[in-house]
Each structure stands twice: as C-alpha cells, then as structure tokens.
Amino acid sequence: MDTPSPWLDADQQELWQDLLTVVIALPAALDRQLQRDAGISNFEYGVLARLSMADHVTMRFSELARDCNSTLPRLSKLMDRFEAREWIVRRVDPSDGRYTLATLTDSGQQKLVDSAPGHVAQVRRLVFDSLTATQRRHFGTALSNVAETVRREAAGGPTG
Amino acid sequence: MDTPSPWLDADQQELWQDLLTVVIALPAALDRQLQRDAGISNFEYGVLARLSMADHVTMRFSELARDCNSTLPRLSKLMDRFEAREWIVRRVDPSDGRYTLATLTDSGQQKLVDSAPGHVAQVRRLVFDSLTATQRRHFGTALSNVAETVRREAAGGPTG
DNA sequence: CGTTATAAGTTGCCCAGGCAAGTAAAAAGC
DNA sequence: GCTTTTTACTTGCCTGGGCAACTTATAACG
C-alpha cells in the first residue's frame, strides 16, 4: 500500500467537526428534553422502546443490550433501577438458567407512551426538520454505511 | 399549524436507528482506540488539538469550552489533570482577571503529535472509507444542517 | 465611588458507566 | 459422570461529568 496522507483535507475537516458536534451535542439535547419532561435519559427511553416492540414485551438481557448499543453491566444496573420503579420484572429463563428475561410492566408501557410524543417531536425538530426530502435520502444512505462500519467495529472489529 | 403525525415512518425509523448507532458507537470506538494507543479520551484529544491550533497555543477556557462542545466545569476538571501531567499551564488573563488562559506546553504538543496518526487513521477507517466521494459531499451538506440546528439548541435554543 | 448586576472559573455532591473479578448455569472433553 | 470451558449475568471499585452553589473580577448604575 502507498503512504496515505496522514491528515484530513479542509473539506474532510469540516465534515468531521460537524460530525463531532452531532455525536456529542445531539445525545445531550435528547437527554435534556427527556430528563426535563419525563425524568429519564435517552438511553432509558431506548430500552423501554425496544422492549415494548418485543414479543410479549419480553427479551433476554443480552439481546436487549445488543439492540440498545449497551454493555451487559450497564443494562444490568439500569434494570435494577427499572425494577425498583416497577417498569420491568426480571426472571430467569426457564429454558436456560443462564439467561435473564426482562418483561415490561403496564406502568413501564405507560411511561413510554407518556414520554414518546415529546421525544419524537424533539427528534423531528433536531434532525428531520433540518433536511429536505432529497437530503434525507442521501443522508440516510451515507449514514447506513457508516453505521454498518461502526457496528462491525463495536463487535469483533478488525482486531478479532 | 396542522396536527403533525406523532410517529416516524419506516424510512425515518431506519435513519434514526442508524443515527443512534453512530452517535453512540462512534465516540466509543474513538475512545477505545485512543485509550488503548495513547491513554487519552477522544474529548481530551480534541482539547489538545484545538489548543495546538490557537495563536501562541493559548486560549481562554470559555472559548476552548465552546469550541470543544464542553461545559466549563468539565473543562476545568480536565485542565486539572492536564496541568498535573504538565501538558498545559494555567494563568490568569492579565488584561481581564476573570478569564483564565490555557497554554499548551511542549510535552503537551508532543503528546498530540504522538497520538494524532493513529487517531486520524481511525477516523478515516470508520467514516471516510465507508463513503464514496459523492456520498461524502451529500453527507457533509446534510450533516452541516443538523449540526447547525443542534448547536443552536445547545446555546439558548428555542427555550431562550 | 459605593452598590448591584453579570461573567468566568472552581468546588462539592451525586450518579451513571467502564472494567475486571466473581458467580452460576450449561456445554464439551475424556 | 466428573472436570474443564464457555456463556450470561452481577457486583465492586473507580473515574468522569452534570448541576448547583460559591468565589472572584469587571461592568453598569445611581
């Protein structure tokens, strides 16, 4: 392979700065709105949302962690809090004692329903309203590539 | 105004999931590489990089915080650590005692120079290599809009 | 000028999350 | 079938970062 120039050019720098702004400030903005209006974080919202879409509103911890871009310790501790608020119940998987199942309770579902509209509105406002229909398509395509690369990295990646 | 449909459609959902993956997993991947190869975080790298580009490698804390998407308390504590490692020196702005100036030391610059190549390579690998030239342009345009919106939100936003 | 208001940093308290070590259950090896 | 390994989750320890309260320095007001 030839020697790749070690630095980013001006265009790349600008894109990179904007991307940094988005990856840092966007989650912060989502957290602010959810914290203010619903007392939960963006991550917590995501877990409730994912569970609500599962069969019998029930999932294994490991699967839930993967889908929510989380680690197991992080999810385990979150579930402690959710259990205390009675938003989920924990039980050992009867078919394999290593797995733990989380099931969303009625009040957990209610919490999601209550906080969803404000959150969705915030997502619209911060992301979709900034883009034309064409831009949205292009953005989606490019983003899908980057997301795929990053997902692979998060798994075994180039190290494994 | 008419009633906006409260949910995202399928395309929007997909874009949104990819965006969530990127904003969560991309910083994590950057942190892993930098932590492993240089013992610093992505945020710390960004602060070193920004300072290195300033006149006399010196900036006011408030300005540095803005440019690095940081809060003052966060930056203040980071500077405690950097000062302990002698990567920066702190001094009161002689022209206005409220401001504090941070100046990058030689070893601070050295740290940046040492860690830059690996970091830049990681950025290339995770972002730019996933995109064609055309996608990169489109992506940059859309991203710039979103970044602008999010920056405004981080400042006074719609509340202020 | 003395008083009040505003701006820039700092500190303390608290909590979330990372990592490494520990536990428990199932699968593999022999 | 007993030991060893692997998988899934949990726990403890430690650090980073958010927020609110405090300190200090200038600006604005009268």
Side-chain angles (χ1 to χ4, degrees):
Chain A
M1 61 180 112
D2 52 29
T3 327
S5 96
W7 296 104
L8 304 177
D9 64 38
D11 278 3
Q12 290 175 332
Q13 272 286 357
E14 198 183 321
L15 189 158
W16 181 239
Q17 278 305 318
D18 285 342
L19 186 50
L20 279 180
T21 296
V22 170
V23 302
I24 293 168
L26 182 57
L30 297 173
D31 277 333
R32 271 198 306 277
Q33 182 272 322
L34 275 170
Q35 204 68 55
R36 174 166 50 83
D37 298 345
I40 60 178
S41 70
N42 182 40
F43 173 60
E44 291 170 325
Y45 179 93
V47 171
L48 292 178
R50 180 64 190 88
L51 258 184
S52 79
M53 294 185 308
D55 274 14
H56 303 84
V57 291
T58 297
M59 288 178 73
R60 295 174 167 174
F61 275 34
S62 38
E63 193 188 353
L64 189 53
R66 256 197 301 95
D67 288 7
C68 294
N69 295 302
S70 172
T71 59
L72 265 174
R74 184 183 183 185
L75 186 64
S76 179
K77 287 166 185 173
L78 176 60
M79 286 316 199
D80 290 344
R81 288 173 257 148
F82 275 8
E83 216 176 9
R85 299 190 191 188
E86 301 185 328
W87 289 351
I88 64 122
V89 293
R90 238 190 190 108
R91 86 194 127 92
V92 174
D93 189 332
S95 75
D96 185 333
R98 288 172 299 182
Y99 292 96
T100 304
L101 299 174
T103 301
L104 203 57
T105 65
D106 287 351
S107 50
Q109 298 199 49
Q110 191 55 50
K111 183 66 193 178
L112 177 64
V113 169
D114 291 345
S115 37
H119 175 65
V120 174
Q122 178 82 333
V123 170
R124 277 187 188 292
R125 221 166 44 72
L126 294 180
V127 179
F128 294 101
D129 292 354
S130 305
L131 304 172
T132 67
T134 308
Q135 284 180 334
R136 197 178 298 178
R137 276 207 334 280
H138 290 323
F139 189 53
T141 306
L143 203 59
S144 144
N145 289 354
V146 176
E148 182 55 30
T149 304
V150 167
R151 266 189 220 105
R152 261 199 297 274
E153 173 85 8
T159 321
Chain B
M1 58 181 116
D2 53 29
T3 327
S5 96
W7 297 102
L8 304 177
D9 63 38
D11 279 2
Q12 290 176 333
Q13 272 286 357
E14 198 183 321
L15 189 159
W16 181 239
Q17 277 305 318
D18 285 342
L19 186 50
L20 279 180
T21 296
V22 169
V23 302
I24 292 169
L26 181 57
L30 297 172
D31 278 333
R32 270 197 307 277
Q33 181 272 321
L34 276 170
Q35 204 67 56
R36 173 167 50 82
D37 298 345
I40 60 178
S41 71
N42 182 40
F43 173 61
E44 291 171 325
Y45 178 92
V47 171
L48 291 177
R50 179 65 189 88
L51 258 183
S52 79
M53 294 185 308
D55 274 14
H56 303 84
V57 290
T58 297
M59 286 179 74
R60 294 174 168 176
F61 274 34
S62 38
E63 192 187 352
L64 188 53
R66 255 195 303 95
D67 288 7
C68 294
N69 296 302
S70 172
T71 59
L72 265 173
R74 183 182 183 185
L75 185 63
S76 179
K77 287 165 185 174
L78 175 59
M79 287 315 201
D80 290 344
R81 287 172 259 148
F82 275 7
E83 216 176 9
R85 299 189 191 187
E86 300 185 329
W87 289 350
I88 64 120
V89 292
R90 237 190 192 107
R91 84 194 127 92
V92 174
D93 188 332
S95 74
D96 187 333
R98 287 172 300 183
Y99 292 96
T100 304
L101 299 174
T103 301
L104 204 57
T105 64
D106 287 351
S107 50
Q109 299 199 49
Q110 192 55 49
K111 183 66 194 177
L112 177 64
V113 169
D114 291 346
S115 36
H119 175 64
V120 173
Q122 178 80 335
V123 170
R124 277 187 188 292
R125 224 166 42 73
L126 294 180
V127 179
F128 293 101
D129 292 355
S130 306
L131 303 172
T132 66
T134 309
Q135 284 180 333
R136 197 179 297 178
R137 277 209 333 282
H138 290 323
F139 189 53
T141 306
L143 203 59
S144 145
N145 288 354
V146 176
E148 182 55 30
T149 304
V150 167
R151 267 189 221 106
R152 261 199 299 274
E153 173 86 8
T159 321

